[in-house]
Each structure stands twice: as structure tokens, then as C-alpha cells.
Amino acid sequence: MLNNSPLRSLTTIAMLAMGVVMTGCEKLPRGPYLQNPTTDSIVVKWRTDGEVIGQVAYGLSENNLSEVTSGGDATENHEILIDGLQADTTYYYQVQSGDSTGEIHSFTTPHEAGDATPFRVWLIGDSGTADENAAAVRDAFYEFNGGPQTDLWLMLGDNAYTFGTDSEYQKAMFDMYPETLSTTPLYSTIGNHEVMTTGGQPYFDIFTLPVDGEAGGIPSGTEAYYSFDYGNVHFICLDSEKASRAVNGAMYTWLETDLQANTQDWTVVFFHQPPYSKGSHDSDAGIEFHIRDMRENFTPIFDQYGVDFVFSGHSHSYERSYPVVGHTGKSNTFEESMKVDSGDGREDGDGAYEKMYSQVQDSGVIYTVAGSSGKISNGSLDHPVHYISLKELGSVVLDFDGDRVDAQFISPGQAVNDYYTVQKF
Amino acid sequence: MALDFLKVAQKFCASVSALAISFTFSVSVSAHPGGHDRIMTLNEQIAHEPKNAYLVIKRAQELIQEEQNFVPAKADLDKARSLGATESTSHEYNFVMGLYHQYQAQHPTAIEFFKRCVGLDSNHLQCYRAWAESALATGDQQTAIGVLSNFIKSSESSQTDDYFHLAQLLEKDKKPDLALKYLDQAQARFGALPHFEKYAIRLETSQQNFTKALERHLALKPFFGKTPQWQYEHGVLFEKLGDPAQAKLFYEQALATLGNKNKKKNKASATLQQEIKAKLASLKN
């Protein structure tokens, strides 16, 4: 885990300085960026201005990039799988495009499945504005985190407005987060804006996501929904946009299979359209049928298999629930008895939320809408499932540490506007 | 999909001129509580590029699919047509015209537009799916199956979900063998898909093909053979095959896995435990 420490800040400054003084390095139009990490492999992607043969040199020291993996045919869009790596190990790498070489970056491979070593996850939602708001949210995280590199990064959809085109992705993702992209493995779920361009083709071209269970989990055969393990956590990405959301549909059938096979300590689910929101999208509104489907059809299986956290975007606000079970209706059907814990989850408040490993079913799912990483929009922000609802820009940080998870909502200006802890016994 | 009051509203509003509709639309959308930001963004973009047919078609699609707001959608589609179809917009125009009719339950007309769309773009995944949906809505299961199976055969764009959906249609059409064929075909193309195998096991079981079901279930062992759920299901299949000794073995294994205090349980274990105990009790009897 990369801690928030002075040492880390110094490292960041040194790395940034190194980037400035390194001359002769090729300025790539896109990337490099890191995809589909497993304990023994990672995919490096980047784009060049012309078609050239690409390769990646890598090693355990930035002074000794002794291993080289080549890409094959000349191309503008490079995608190279590096394998034979060790789990939980930091590697340095440099992409080489024809005769040009890029800067040296580093990444750390995931921990083995089941390994409870601490790690950090950064989550951003609806970040695709490519403007000063997205930059402010990014910088607030960098300040909080002590730099742009973390262990794992999740995007909650609508990553590039308005249509999720390749050029919009360039501005909203590649130009906005280059330092994090080159150092931190990124996963994403598809948003409603992504599917506006040829059913989301640019999104599927940009991301390389696990379809064969290569990082743990059950193979889905599609990048639209998938799962992976990172240490003692199982992550599940669903598609609230294009896939069938029916209970007997392919995605639901896959999810049930995946949850049955899951033996990790923690389970995190993420998809774009939130089951519960009173932000810029009202989950009670009749036209919100994607939201309704996710709530009515999917939240029961989350309860059944003890999902711990569900993260979404779509509404441009921050809304975080109590641990809840059994709420599939509109907001006026929510009852106090559906709260597994009616406290704030804060150790300096009502106390951390507590869960038992031996009592998985109906143990309480915490739902978070984190769709304010690029803009904020109006809404009544009063859904009763939520402990807190904020019209604030920001992003979410999850720190996993064995039996404990700390979640924080970080806004520009170094404001921690929400925080809570979940402890398992 | 289609709501009666929307049909009435459409008839009422049809008498209003396109210009007035456009004006009303832009005001009403801007005032929409809470957003629909894509439509608002499209409004802004169209204001800058009023002759961009693609943007106008996209707005029509949003209005249909997200708001079922058919009158301004039709105004947009008419506007797009008047702007002139180009290679990059004509298939989308036909697709969205199809949606316009589909969402109002005018399926035969919708199908005509979907046919035109795939005639112009033979890889239009969404259009094939929409066409199949409309065919199903008219009760024409054969056409729905034909559209999807042809798409799967001819297009590299088809995905796992298309195979799954086709298998479901074939099951409904009482063709489980054909459904199994497509489930297997998908796995041959995309690799092992345990959820497809689970569906196949259900189909085999419903046809009393317990030997085949057991073979398929064994293929799932690498994925979750250590879970009590798999062990229990394996026992059930042995019992159906008339092998109570093997069934008992797997039920007991499942119970032991559930009872392992060192293991963190991953599912609704209490319910499963009850089911297994009931099975074991029935075997004794």
C-alpha cells in the first residue's frame, strides 16, 4: 500500500522532477496506461502518432529494465501483455515506439487472492467533463493521497462527455489523469454516455477488461460485466446500460454464478446507474427504468450473497447509505427495519459498522452514489436509504486493511466530507 | 413500452406545427427538474451546429428511449431527414425511426425501418436486437430467432448475451436441443462460460438428460467445486440419476464444507444447510 506519508510526497516530487529533466523522451499522444492486472501479468496500452512497432522494457529497478516484450505488427494503438511477473511487486517500465523511448514509470502487481495486505482504491464517477471541476477533484485526491499513484482505480461510468467518443476520452481521461494512468491499474464500468457512440465501441476499444476470469472470478465472456480479485477483495462490475437486466438474463445468471464461487473476505460491486438516488436522477421516477431494474432485480441478490459495498454514479452528487437490506421499492417504501445499523459508521461517532463473517446473508449493503467527480447537479438529496447526501464535487477513497475498511469522500479544498469504517469479525 | 396516454398526447400534439413543437421542447427540457443532461447538452450542441443531422438523430433517440417523448422526437427525425441523409447518418436515421415506432408498439412499421437500417449497416448490433424484440412483440418468435441466429452467424459484433438471449427464445419455442447447441457454440467461441453451462444443465435436466447434466456439472468443478453449493447440486444430479450412495456422499461433503468453522461462508448457508439435511433425511427414508 502506498501510504499518505512525507516520503511518498517526496517521491512524487522527485518523479515529477525527473519527468521535467528527462529530455529526448517521446511525448506520446496517449498513455501509457495499465489494464487488466493479475498477480503475474499486466497489459500496457498506448498510442503513437504513426504506425510503429511497440515494445515494453521492464524490470525491478529503473536502472535495469532488462526484460523486453514486443508487440508484433506496426500499429498506432499498442497493447502489450507483460507476463511472468510476481505478485505484490513493484516493476519499472518504459514503452518504446519504433526508435523513440518513453519515460520510465512504475506499477505494482496485485496481491495474491486472499492476501489481506492493505491496499487503497480510488473511485471516481461521472468524471468526464474535462474541465476545472474534474481537475479540482483529481488534485484533491492527489493532495490527500500524497501523489497520483495508488493501488487500484475504478471509474464509475460517464468517463467522457457527451458521447464517449475517442476524442472525448482523450480530453476527459488521457489528458486529465496521465500520471495516474501510467502508474495505477484502472477498471471501469460503462455509463449511459459511453453507449451513445456505436453502442460503446470507443469504450470497449480503450479499455481491456477481464472476460476469462484471468484475475479471479467467473468468466463472463464480455467486457461489459466482469469480476476480479485484488487481495482479499472480490470486485464485480455490472452493466446497467446495455446488458439484459432481467433476473433470468445472461448478466444476472453470470452474477449469481460468480457470487456463489466467491470466497473473498469483501465484495464490492460497481455499475453506473444507482438503485437509490435523489440527486440529478430520481430513482423513484417512472422514466428511470435502468435504475428501477437494478434496484428491483439486483439488490436482492446482493443481500443474499453478502455484498458489502455497491458504488454507482449517474447522479451528480454524493449519497451514501446506511448498511441496508431488502429495499426494492420506491423511497416511500423504505422502513427503519431495513437499516442493519442506523449509526453513522464513524469510530468517533456512533461507532464503526460491524459485520460477521459467519452471517453473510442480509448483513447490510452500503450503497454509494459517487457521481460528482466532474460536476454537481440539483436534486432533493433526501432519499431515506442514505445517511448522507451532498451536492459536492469529490471522489471516494477505500482503504482495505484485512478485516477493516475505511471509506472517505474527498472534496476539493482537502475536505473529507464523509467517512466511515466497516469492521468484520 | 408504449403508454396509452402518450399515444393520446401524440395525437393531440400532432396538430401543432413543427416549429412550435421545437420551441416547446427546448423550453420544457431546459426546465426538466434534475437534468437529463444529455438532452440538454445535445440542445447546446445543436444550437451551435443546427445542420448536424447526426446530433438531431441522437437527440431523437434520447427523447424516445429515455423520456418516451415522441412528438419532439418525431420533429427531430423529420428535421434530420430534411437535412439530407449521408452515409454516416442514414442507417442511424432508420434505426431511430424504428425505435420511434417500436416504443409506440407499432411493431410492423418498426421492423420495416430496422430492415432498412441493417441493409445499410449489416453490423448494427442494437438494430438486430431491436428487430428481434419487435418480432417477438408481434408473436413472431420464428423471425426473432431467425434474426438473432443470422446475426450471430454473420457478424463478429455478436456477443455472449446474444447467444444467451437466442437460447432463451429457443427454449420458449420448445427447442431445447437447439438452445443447447447455441450455448455450446458460444463457449466454443468465447471460452468456458460457467453461467452458460448452468443454463445448459437446467435444459438437460428438464429433458431428463441427467447423465449429460452431470457431465456439464463436472465441467464446473474447477470454478467452484469447493463450494457447498456445487457439492449439493452434484449430489442432486446423482440422486436424479438413481445413485443415492453418490448423492449422499456429496450431500455430506457439502454439509462438512458448510460446517467448517475455519471457512468464511460465502452464501445463504442456513437455507442451504436446511435443504441438504432434508435431502439426507429423504435418502434415509
Side-chain angles (χ1 to χ4, degrees):
Chain A
M1 179 189 178
L2 297 161
N3 293 314
N4 185 7
S5 67
L7 178 64
R8 188 176 189 182
S9 299
L10 282 173
T11 307
T12 306
I13 292 164
M15 285 179 72
L16 290 172
M18 191 169 70
V20 172
V21 297
M22 281 182 77
T23 54
C25 284
E26 181 196 23
K27 172 67 181 155
L28 296 167
R30 173 173 296 183
Y33 61 108
L34 303 168
Q35 296 282 278
N36 218 2
T38 72
T39 51
D40 64 359
S41 69
I42 200 160
V43 172
V44 182
K45 297 180 84 170
W46 74 98
R47 177 175 286 177
T48 46
D49 283 324
E51 290 190 347
V52 292
I53 292 175
Q55 59 182 19
V56 180
Y58 62 97
L60 293 169
S61 154
E62 57 187 313
N63 298 318
N64 184 20
L65 306 179
S66 54
E67 304 288 331
V68 176
T69 302
S70 296
D73 295 340
T75 180
E76 288 182 354
N77 294 304
H78 303 265
E79 177 171 350
I80 292 181
L81 172 74
I82 304 175
D83 56 11
L85 306 177
Q86 299 292 316
D88 196 14
T89 303
T90 297
Y91 289 87
Y92 295 84
Y93 75 100
Q94 181 181 47
V95 300
Q96 299 170 348
S97 318
D99 296 330
S100 303
T101 54
E103 293 177 23
I104 295 173
H105 305 281
S106 68
F107 63 82
T108 302
T109 49
H111 315 141
E112 292 283 1
D115 182 339
T117 305
F119 69 98
R120 171 167 286 179
V121 189
W122 184 36
L123 298 100
I124 58 175
D126 301 66
S127 56
T129 50
D131 63 4
E132 64 277 7
N133 285 339
V137 170
R138 174 200 63 196
D139 293 344
F141 169 71
Y142 287 179
E143 187 73 20
F144 171 84
N145 184 58
Q149 184 173 13
T150 190
D151 298 303
L152 186 62
W153 179 18
L154 306 183
M155 294 182 107
L156 301 172
D158 287 4
N159 311 326
Y161 289 110
T162 299
F163 302 115
T165 62
D166 187 84
S167 60
E168 288 169 347
Y169 258 95
Q170 185 63 42
K171 291 175 192 155
M173 192 171 92
F174 294 105
D175 295 345
M176 181 63 68
Y177 311 101
E179 297 93 347
T180 309
L181 283 163
S182 62
T183 56
T184 304
L186 167 64
Y187 288 96
S188 179
T189 185
I190 196 164
N192 53 313
H193 282 263
E194 271 84 23
V195 300
M196 291 178 77
T197 301
T198 55
Q201 199 53 50
Y203 170 90
F204 291 112
D205 289 341
I206 287 165
F207 289 99
T208 299
L209 301 164
V211 298
D212 294 325
E214 49 269 58
I218 293 296
S220 67
T222 170
E223 290 180 303
Y225 50 89
Y226 57 87
S227 64
F228 62 95
D229 292 329
Y230 194 110
N232 62 338
V233 185
H234 188 58
F235 291 89
I236 298 171
C237 170
L238 299 179
D239 170 12
S240 59
E241 309 309 311
K242 298 297 294 177
S244 166
R245 299 177 296 278
V247 164
N248 64 351
M251 181 166 70
Y252 184 95
T253 309
W254 167 79
L255 174 66
E256 188 172 39
T257 311
D258 188 72
L259 285 168
Q260 281 174 358
N262 172 27
T263 55
Q264 298 289 15
D265 293 339
W266 300 92
T267 305
V268 177
V269 177
F270 61 108
F271 51 89
H272 185 62
Q273 300 212 23
Y276 315 110
S277 178
K278 286 285 183 181
S280 49
H281 293 271
D282 180 348
S283 52
D284 289 346
I287 60 168
E288 301 284 8
F289 49 92
H290 294 248
I291 286 176
R292 182 204 61 209
D293 291 348
M294 296 310 291
R295 184 178 65 245
E296 292 183 354
N297 297 345
F298 283 82
T299 62
I301 197 172
F302 300 157
D303 291 340
Q304 187 185 353
Y305 286 94
V307 167
D308 298 295
F309 304 96
V310 171
F311 289 93
S312 302
H314 200 44
S315 276
H316 305 136
S317 48
Y318 174 81
E319 299 167 87
R320 190 268 291 178
S321 80
Y322 301 90
V324 294
V325 294
H327 181 45
T328 55
K330 293 185 177 180
S331 60
N332 61 5
T333 66
F334 185 71
E335 296 168 11
E336 279 299 300
S337 61
M338 293 170 177
K339 293 179 186 170
V340 172
D341 187 325
S342 56
D344 57 12
R346 297 171 179 173
E347 289 187 318
D348 59 356
D350 301 324
Y353 297 130
E354 294 183 349
K355 301 180 93 171
M356 304 292 285
Y357 282 116
S358 58
Q359 199 172 14
V360 170
Q361 187 172 11
D362 295 341
S363 58
V365 185
I366 297 175
Y367 293 87
T368 303
V369 182
S372 62
S373 303
K375 59 178 160 183
I376 46 176
S377 304
N378 289 326
S380 61
L381 294 174
D382 59 355
H383 199 296
V385 82
H386 291 303
Y387 164 72
I388 187 167
S389 302
L390 300 168
K391 188 183 168 187
E392 298 280 352
L393 288 168
S395 62
V396 172
V397 172
L398 286 179
D399 286 312
F400 288 91
D401 185 358
D403 297 328
R404 175 190 173 102
V405 179
D406 289 287
Q408 296 176 82
F409 176 59
I410 312 297
S411 292
Q414 272 303 285
V416 178
N417 280 319
D418 184 32
Y419 60 97
Y420 63 94
T421 300
V422 184
Q423 183 77 52
K424 280 196 182 179
F425 298 97
Chain B
M1 246 183 260
L3 300 170
D4 287 340
F5 79 88
L6 285 168
K7 287 183 192 170
V8 174
Q10 186 201 15
K11 283 176 188 168
F12 171 74
C13 294
S15 59
V16 184
S17 75
L19 191 64
I21 290 164
S22 298
F23 175 73
T24 309
F25 161 64
S26 63
V27 172
S28 67
V29 167
S30 299
H32 196 291
H36 294 283
D37 49 324
R38 281 171 295 170
I39 292 173
M40 287 192 281
T41 309
L42 281 163
N43 285 346
E44 288 167 19
Q45 291 185 324
I46 291 166
H48 285 107
E49 297 179 69
K51 293 189 176 175
N52 187 329
Y54 178 77
L55 292 174
V56 176
I57 293 167
K58 278 289 158 193
R59 184 168 68 183
Q61 185 176 350
E62 289 297 312
L63 287 163
I64 294 163
Q65 291 188 303
E66 295 300 318
E67 300 198 341
Q68 289 91 58
N69 201 351
F70 301 113
V71 176
K74 184 64 167 56
D76 271 350
L77 287 166
D78 289 345
K79 184 181 171 186
R81 193 174 55 180
S82 73
L83 288 169
T86 66
E87 201 175 311
S88 63
T89 58
S90 52
H91 59 89
E92 279 305 304
Y93 169 79
N94 282 294
F95 173 55
V96 179
M97 276 298 289
L99 292 178
Y100 170 77
H101 290 287
Q102 183 184 55
Y103 272 65
Q104 295 174 90
Q106 298 158 355
H107 294 290
T109 318
I111 287 168
E112 288 309 309
F113 281 103
F114 292 143
K115 281 181 183 171
R116 282 182 216 169
C117 171
V118 298
L120 294 161
D121 178 4
S122 60
N123 271 320
H124 203 302
L125 171 66
Q126 295 162 279
C127 193
Y128 281 102
R129 286 177 174 172
W131 181 0
E133 275 176 33
S134 271
L136 266 186
T138 59
D140 187 355
Q141 192 135 305
Q142 291 308 316
T143 299
I145 290 168
V147 167
L148 268 183
S149 55
N150 282 336
F151 174 58
I152 282 169
K153 278 178 203 157
S154 64
S155 173
E156 288 183 3
S157 306
S158 60
Q159 296 165 7
T160 51
D161 283 20
D162 297 311
Y163 286 87
F164 199 92
H165 190 45
L166 178 58
Q168 286 181 313
L169 289 180
L170 288 162
E171 185 194 0
K172 261 189 213 165
D173 205 32
K174 298 188 176 24
K175 295 187 177 76
D177 287 335
L178 212 47
L180 283 163
K181 182 187 138 191
Y182 279 104
L183 292 173
D184 288 339
Q185 217 176 73
Q187 295 195 81
R189 180 176 160 189
F190 296 101
L193 297 167
H195 59 304
F196 275 55
E197 206 65 86
K198 282 207 152 194
Y199 182 15
I201 289 165
R202 191 169 61 69
L203 288 173
E204 300 279 20
T205 307
S206 68
Q207 295 183 91
Q208 314 283 309
N209 293 332
F210 300 122
T211 307
K212 283 184 181 173
L214 195 70
E215 279 171 18
R216 289 183 181 277
H217 199 255
L218 208 55
L220 295 175
K221 193 176 180 184
F223 296 102
F224 35 45
K226 290 177 183 170
T227 65
Q229 184 73 28
W230 183 89
Q231 293 156 355
Y232 167 67
E233 287 169 359
H234 213 60
V236 170
L237 287 171
F238 268 117
E239 199 180 340
K240 285 185 187 297
L241 261 175
D243 189 341
Q246 281 291 316
K248 185 169 176 274
L249 209 68
F250 280 98
Y251 291 152
E252 285 171 349
Q253 196 179 346
L255 265 187
T257 308
L258 278 170
N260 187 344
K261 300 284 183 217
N262 296 323
K263 287 215 168 186
K264 289 162 183 171
K265 296 178 179 62
N266 75 330
K267 78 151 291 183
S269 47
T271 315
L272 184 59
Q273 206 158 21
Q274 282 170 5
E275 284 175 22
I276 299 167
K277 282 180 178 171
K279 282 282 185 190
L280 281 168
S282 72
L283 281 181
K284 278 179 191 168
N285 297 331

